[in-house]
Amino acid sequence: MASSASAVRVLLLVVLALASCASAATAARTPTLANGLSFEFYKATCPQAESIVFNFLRDAIRKDVGLAAALVRIHFHDCFVQGCDGSVLLDDTATQTSEKAAIPNQTLRPTAFKAINDVRALLQQACGGPVVSCADIAALAARDSVQLAGGPHYAVPLGRRDGLAPAPAKDIFAALPPPTSNVTTLLRFLAQISLDADDLVALSGAHTLGIAHCVSFEERLFPTQDPTMDKWFAGQLKLTCPALNITNTTVNDIRTPNVFDNKYYLDLLNRQGLFTSDQDMHTDARTKPTVTRFAVDQAAFFDQFVFSVVKMGQINVLTGNQGQIRTDCSAPNAASNNDELPWSVLETVAETLAL
Ligand code: HEM
Ligand SMILES: *[C@@H]1O[C@H](CO)[C@@H](O)[C@H](O)[C@H]1NC(C)=O
Ligand SMILES: *[C@@H]1O[C@H](CO)[C@@H](O)[C@H](O)[C@H]1NC(C)=O
Ligand SMILES: *[C@@H]1O[C@H](CO)[C@@H](O)[C@H](O)[C@H]1NC(C)=O
Ligand SMILES: *[C@@H]1O[C@H](CO)[C@@H](O)[C@H](O)[C@H]1NC(C)=O
């Protein structure tokens, strides 16, 4: 009896020691948390928030695997353009009048915008509110999409608040590098938001999922074929995009298009990366060693991806009483319906009324 009890105690100690090792290792790879964000942000106000998001997406992605790719990309666009404030979710007919401005946005999938709004409605049903911000929903949806597609699971710091207006077209172009970019250009874009070469290589690994339209890579086929592209691969792409301006799509990762794994880096090693922005990472000396490492070591890719995506998810976030919590992710709250007046305004009102 005594010996079995002490055996249990020893086992327990071993388990605890292992668990604390694991969490220490994770902690060492967690970027510093932005002020106002925390892993327990909705613990009191909407404890079931994360399971509601996950359960919804598990069913939705089972029906439409493309939704996972679309949600991961939305979080990226949200964060790169004016910070992770859910502004990418806002309808904006004004910005769309600029045809160019619409280009990067046009290929964001409507199914993903709808999924985020559907989740938002479920959260409001469960927790009242609005309590959970659209920017947080986008971050959680991207996280769950990565996992549901076979990638790593990671904790998301929460507490982002939603921006009040969409970004102007010029800001979208200043923030999102085009797929024709080489590594020098990509690093210049990423440096504006404190992301480095390792972040670039790991985050681009999200192109292990999803699709692209011909317009995003046709400059590598016409008028002359990009010599850095594998000839067989170029031939395949020309079947999909036989000339300029064809409205057709192909998968980003020819090996495992719907699985979040490290095969994208194997594509690059075989000169079968789709965009210049992908393939040049295997040419440029600043990124090539990391590409090669991730191609042979999926755990190393997952580890860096988690670190970099959590970092990306904290770019210029609004917290505290900045911004608002939207009641509809595609539109700012109506002024009369604005739940959060800044405290300073409330204090002024209180003083005026001599409360
Ligand atoms: C670093 C520079 C990047 C460039 C130049 C770039 C460019 C693009 C382009 C042109 C497309 C295809 C759009 C289309 O034609 O339909 C695309 C798709 C995609 N991108 Fe990126 N991207 C970059 C970084 C990222 C990052 C950081 C992520 C996420 C962490 C990401 C996730 C995705 C996903 C998942 C898709 C597929 C979307 C779908 O199937 O709906 N990309 N990207
Ligand atoms: C982005 O695209 C979505 C759906 O395609 C659209 O509803 C939204 O208004 C667009 N937003 C901007 C800022 O153009
Ligand atoms: C990268 O692209 C920029 C802009 O197109 C160009 O000026 C530069 O020469 C390119 N750098 C390399 C190393 O190819
Ligand atoms: C679109 O791509 C498919 C598959 O590669 C191809 O069979 C089809 O002919 C392409 N459509 C056009 C309009 O080129
Ligand atoms: C077709 O593609 C070319 C080259 O990218 C571009 O200059 C032209 O404006 C496009 N035409 C249409 C109708 O989109």
Side-chain angles (χ1 to χ4, degrees), residues 196-353:
D196 62 22
D198 286 345
D199 297 318
L200 171 66
V201 177
L203 291 171
S204 298
H207 291 166
T208 180
L209 295 178
I211 57 168
H213 292 74
C214 296
V215 69
S216 299
F217 55 85
E218 63 190 8
E219 105 286 353
R220 301 186 69 200
L221 304 174
F222 312 107
T224 47
Q225 205 166 296
D226 183 337
T228 67
M229 186 186 279
D230 169 54
K231 289 202 168 56
W232 172 84
F233 184 58
Q236 294 302 113
L237 291 180
K238 279 180 171 170
L239 296 177
T240 305
C241 314
L244 288 173
N245 305 329
I246 302 281
T247 312
N248 215 350
T249 61
T250 192
V251 294
N252 284 335
D253 166 14
I254 50 162
R255 286 182 166 68
T256 50
N258 296 323
V259 184
F260 195 101
D261 59 13
N262 67 336
K263 295 294 192 294
Y264 161 84
Y265 300 101
L266 214 52
D267 298 340
L268 303 189
L269 259 53
N270 287 285
R271 307 200 299 160
Q272 295 163 346
L274 194 54
F275 310 136
T276 299
S277 65
D278 297 315
Q279 195 58 51
D280 198 50
M281 293 193 301
H282 186 247
T283 307
D284 194 290
R286 289 165 290 184
T287 45
K288 185 174 182 175
T290 314
V291 167
T292 310
R293 187 160 55 92
F294 290 170
V296 296
D297 185 351
Q298 179 163 279
F301 163 47
F302 282 4
D303 185 60
Q304 180 67 43
F305 181 82
V306 166
F307 180 85
S308 296
V309 79
V310 172
K311 192 168 156 190
M312 182 184 89
Q314 303 189 70
I315 295 171
N316 293 331
V317 287
L318 302 175
T319 58
N321 57 18
Q322 298 172 308
Q324 61 183 196
I325 310 287
R326 272 180 230 144
T327 55
D328 170 355
C329 291
S330 59
N333 297 341
S336 59
N337 184 23
N338 209 329
D339 53 324
E340 273 99 1
L341 286 170
W343 280 112
S344 57
V345 172
L346 289 182
E347 273 160 20
T348 313
V349 171
E351 273 162 28
T352 313
L353 298 175

Side-chain angles (χ1 to χ4, degrees), residues 119 154 283:
V119 166
Y154 55 92
T283 307

Side-chain angles (χ1 to χ4, degrees), residues 88 90-93 95-96 102 105-106 108-110 113 166-167 172:
V88 68
L90 291 169
D91 286 339
D92 181 44
T93 38
T95 311
Q96 278 179 323
N105 180 56
Q106 263 168 5
L108 296 173
R109 303 194 208 191
F113 292 105
I172 298 177

